[in-house]
Amino acid sequence: QQQVKQSPQSLIVQKGGISIINCAYENTAFDYFPWYQQFPGKGPALLIAIRPDVSEKKEGRFTISFNKSAKQFSLHIMDSQPGDSATYFCAASYNTDKLIFGTGTRLQVFP
Amino acid sequence: GAGVSQSPSNKVTEKGKDVELRCDPISGHTALYWYRQSLGQGLEFLIYFQGNSAPDKSGLPSDRFSAERTGGSVSTLTIQRTQQEDSAVYLCASSYPVLDEQYFGPGTRLTVT
């Protein structure tokens, strides 16, 4: 019940396209859903996060869509750029507790 | 301001030796977390410190792993009698009290030969 399932494992997108990464969770007590971006050799960097009281949050080219009834949330990267090539992790937590991470998606954006 | 720092950045050790990994959280952050990232894997929670409360050790994989936090700031993760399966990147994160956002350090890459 603590798992967060992430898909796809890898994603190849052309420059200017839309990248979509999906996550699903089981624990309805989760109240915080962040996305992290990780470049090789670096620690994960917080990208954007959402709480279950809203269905969408947008920051620049990055949007989280949240479906509480389906227990799913997704990251959309609009106008994908080669500099977006990285590994993306979704996560979930409850009441500022530890983060439960998805298994990651390796995104490659080709020019 | 300064972010989370970790040292060393890389550590190579022989099987059976003990290692200590250090984390300096962001100033003012009272919550500190340790995670482990094995090659090609996601991040696995190890231990969580929040202020003066007893730490949440529920993610430690064996009794060879321990951690302490001195003065509510710096934390040290100790692995005793290291095994090859302990090879991974050990990541530290910190956050403000009652806020969810966790900020990660660059990690320590541990290689057990």
Side-chain angles (χ1 to χ4, degrees), chain B residues 38-50:
Chain B
S38 301
L39 185 63
Q41 301 296 310
L43 288 88
E44 171 192 19
F45 166 75
L46 297 177
I47 188 169
Y48 162 39
F49 296 89
Q50 174 55 279

PDB file of all heavy atoms in Angstrom, chain B residues 38-50:
ATOM      1  N   SER B  38      20.329   2.682  -5.404  1.00  0.00           N
ATOM      2  CA  SER B  38      21.170   1.665  -6.015  1.00  0.00           C
ATOM      3  C   SER B  38      21.172   1.871  -7.516  1.00  0.00           C
ATOM      4  O   SER B  38      20.266   2.495  -8.066  1.00  0.00           O
ATOM      5  CB  SER B  38      20.663   0.264  -5.661  1.00  0.00           C
ATOM      6  OG  SER B  38      20.655   0.098  -4.256  1.00  0.00           O
ATOM      7  N   LEU B  39      22.177   1.307  -8.196  1.00  0.00           N
ATOM      8  CA  LEU B  39      22.375   1.535  -9.627  1.00  0.00           C
ATOM      9  C   LEU B  39      21.100   1.248 -10.399  1.00  0.00           C
ATOM     10  O   LEU B  39      20.561   0.148 -10.346  1.00  0.00           O
ATOM     11  CB  LEU B  39      23.522   0.661 -10.132  1.00  0.00           C
ATOM     12  CG  LEU B  39      23.920   0.892 -11.599  1.00  0.00           C
ATOM     13  CD1 LEU B  39      24.435   2.316 -11.781  1.00  0.00           C
ATOM     14  CD2 LEU B  39      24.964  -0.122 -12.042  1.00  0.00           C
ATOM     15  N   GLY B  40      20.624   2.269 -11.111  1.00  0.00           N
ATOM     16  CA  GLY B  40      19.448   2.103 -11.943  1.00  0.00           C
ATOM     17  C   GLY B  40      18.148   1.925 -11.184  1.00  0.00           C
ATOM     18  O   GLY B  40      17.135   1.592 -11.783  1.00  0.00           O
ATOM     19  N   GLN B  41      18.171   2.172  -9.895  1.00  0.00           N
ATOM     20  CA  GLN B  41      16.974   1.980  -9.070  1.00  0.00           C
ATOM     21  C   GLN B  41      16.436   3.309  -8.572  1.00  0.00           C
ATOM     22  O   GLN B  41      17.067   4.355  -8.701  1.00  0.00           O
ATOM     23  CB  GLN B  41      17.306   1.084  -7.873  1.00  0.00           C
ATOM     24  CG  GLN B  41      17.818  -0.289  -8.239  1.00  0.00           C
ATOM     25  CD  GLN B  41      16.777  -1.095  -8.965  1.00  0.00           C
ATOM     26  OE1 GLN B  41      15.634  -1.217  -8.526  1.00  0.00           O
ATOM     27  NE2 GLN B  41      17.149  -1.645 -10.103  1.00  0.00           N
ATOM     28  N   GLY B  42      15.279   3.246  -7.993  1.00  0.00           N
ATOM     29  CA  GLY B  42      14.685   4.421  -7.371  1.00  0.00           C
ATOM     30  C   GLY B  42      15.342   4.712  -6.035  1.00  0.00           C
ATOM     31  O   GLY B  42      16.343   4.112  -5.669  1.00  0.00           O
ATOM     32  N   LEU B  43      14.760   5.646  -5.310  1.00  0.00           N
ATOM     33  CA  LEU B  43      15.293   6.042  -4.028  1.00  0.00           C
ATOM     34  C   LEU B  43      14.568   5.311  -2.906  1.00  0.00           C
ATOM     35  O   LEU B  43      13.339   5.300  -2.854  1.00  0.00           O
ATOM     36  CB  LEU B  43      15.160   7.549  -3.846  1.00  0.00           C
ATOM     37  CG  LEU B  43      16.102   8.397  -4.694  1.00  0.00           C
ATOM     38  CD1 LEU B  43      15.499   8.695  -6.048  1.00  0.00           C
ATOM     39  CD2 LEU B  43      16.467   9.672  -3.976  1.00  0.00           C
ATOM     40  N   GLU B  44      15.363   4.760  -2.011  1.00  0.00           N
ATOM     41  CA  GLU B  44      14.830   3.954  -0.916  1.00  0.00           C
ATOM     42  C   GLU B  44      15.077   4.692   0.401  1.00  0.00           C
ATOM     43  O   GLU B  44      16.218   5.041   0.713  1.00  0.00           O
ATOM     44  CB  GLU B  44      15.551   2.599  -0.932  1.00  0.00           C
ATOM     45  CG  GLU B  44      15.304   1.705   0.246  1.00  0.00           C
ATOM     46  CD  GLU B  44      16.281   0.534   0.258  1.00  0.00           C
ATOM     47  OE1 GLU B  44      17.333   0.609  -0.412  1.00  0.00           O
ATOM     48  OE2 GLU B  44      16.005  -0.445   0.971  1.00  0.00           O
ATOM     49  N   PHE B  45      14.017   4.907   1.171  1.00  0.00           N
ATOM     50  CA  PHE B  45      14.133   5.592   2.459  1.00  0.00           C
ATOM     51  C   PHE B  45      14.920   4.757   3.458  1.00  0.00           C
ATOM     52  O   PHE B  45      14.749   3.535   3.533  1.00  0.00           O
ATOM     53  CB  PHE B  45      12.726   5.856   3.015  1.00  0.00           C
ATOM     54  CG  PHE B  45      12.701   6.248   4.465  1.00  0.00           C
ATOM     55  CD1 PHE B  45      13.079   7.509   4.865  1.00  0.00           C
ATOM     56  CD2 PHE B  45      12.302   5.322   5.439  1.00  0.00           C
ATOM     57  CE1 PHE B  45      13.057   7.863   6.205  1.00  0.00           C
ATOM     58  CE2 PHE B  45      12.276   5.666   6.775  1.00  0.00           C
ATOM     59  CZ  PHE B  45      12.655   6.936   7.166  1.00  0.00           C
ATOM     60  N   LEU B  46      15.784   5.405   4.224  1.00  0.00           N
ATOM     61  CA  LEU B  46      16.547   4.719   5.261  1.00  0.00           C
ATOM     62  C   LEU B  46      16.143   5.166   6.664  1.00  0.00           C
ATOM     63  O   LEU B  46      15.718   4.361   7.489  1.00  0.00           O
ATOM     64  CB  LEU B  46      18.044   4.958   5.055  1.00  0.00           C
ATOM     65  CG  LEU B  46      18.655   4.415   3.774  1.00  0.00           C
ATOM     66  CD1 LEU B  46      20.130   4.803   3.679  1.00  0.00           C
ATOM     67  CD2 LEU B  46      18.491   2.898   3.693  1.00  0.00           C
ATOM     68  N   ILE B  47      16.285   6.486   6.964  1.00  0.00           N
ATOM     69  CA  ILE B  47      16.050   6.976   8.311  1.00  0.00           C
ATOM     70  C   ILE B  47      15.676   8.455   8.258  1.00  0.00           C
ATOM     71  O   ILE B  47      16.055   9.167   7.319  1.00  0.00           O
ATOM     72  CB  ILE B  47      17.286   6.742   9.209  1.00  0.00           C
ATOM     73  CG1 ILE B  47      17.000   7.074  10.687  1.00  0.00           C
ATOM     74  CG2 ILE B  47      18.483   7.530   8.706  1.00  0.00           C
ATOM     75  CD1 ILE B  47      18.111   6.595  11.630  1.00  0.00           C
ATOM     76  N   TYR B  48      14.929   8.920   9.265  1.00  0.00           N
ATOM     77  CA  TYR B  48      14.379  10.279   9.278  1.00  0.00           C
ATOM     78  C   TYR B  48      14.524  10.853  10.676  1.00  0.00           C
ATOM     79  O   TYR B  48      14.126  10.207  11.655  1.00  0.00           O
ATOM     80  CB  TYR B  48      12.923  10.196   8.834  1.00  0.00           C
ATOM     81  CG  TYR B  48      12.007  11.350   9.146  1.00  0.00           C
ATOM     82  CD1 TYR B  48      12.421  12.676   9.061  1.00  0.00           C
ATOM     83  CD2 TYR B  48      10.676  11.103   9.486  1.00  0.00           C
ATOM     84  CE1 TYR B  48      11.551  13.713   9.329  1.00  0.00           C
ATOM     85  CE2 TYR B  48       9.790  12.139   9.756  1.00  0.00           C
ATOM     86  CZ  TYR B  48      10.228  13.440   9.669  1.00  0.00           C
ATOM     87  OH  TYR B  48       9.363  14.476   9.932  1.00  0.00           O
ATOM     88  N   PHE B  49      15.110  12.040  10.793  1.00  0.00           N
ATOM     89  CA  PHE B  49      15.230  12.768  12.043  1.00  0.00           C
ATOM     90  C   PHE B  49      14.353  14.007  11.968  1.00  0.00           C
ATOM     91  O   PHE B  49      14.375  14.739  10.983  1.00  0.00           O
ATOM     92  CB  PHE B  49      16.677  13.239  12.273  1.00  0.00           C
ATOM     93  CG  PHE B  49      17.683  12.139  12.431  1.00  0.00           C
ATOM     94  CD1 PHE B  49      18.330  11.603  11.331  1.00  0.00           C
ATOM     95  CD2 PHE B  49      17.991  11.644  13.688  1.00  0.00           C
ATOM     96  CE1 PHE B  49      19.267  10.602  11.471  1.00  0.00           C
ATOM     97  CE2 PHE B  49      18.929  10.641  13.847  1.00  0.00           C
ATOM     98  CZ  PHE B  49      19.567  10.117  12.732  1.00  0.00           C
ATOM     99  N   GLN B  50      13.589  14.274  13.030  1.00  0.00           N
ATOM    100  CA  GLN B  50      12.785  15.492  13.099  1.00  0.00           C
ATOM    101  C   GLN B  50      12.971  16.109  14.474  1.00  0.00           C
ATOM    102  O   GLN B  50      12.476  15.588  15.468  1.00  0.00           O
ATOM    103  CB  GLN B  50      11.312  15.184  12.850  1.00  0.00           C
ATOM    104  CG  GLN B  50      10.372  16.378  13.045  1.00  0.00           C
ATOM    105  CD  GLN B  50      10.742  17.585  12.207  1.00  0.00           C
ATOM    106  OE1 GLN B  50      11.643  18.392  12.538  1.00  0.00           O
ATOM    107  NE2 GLN B  50      10.058  17.750  11.098  1.00  0.00           N
TER     108      GLN B  50
END
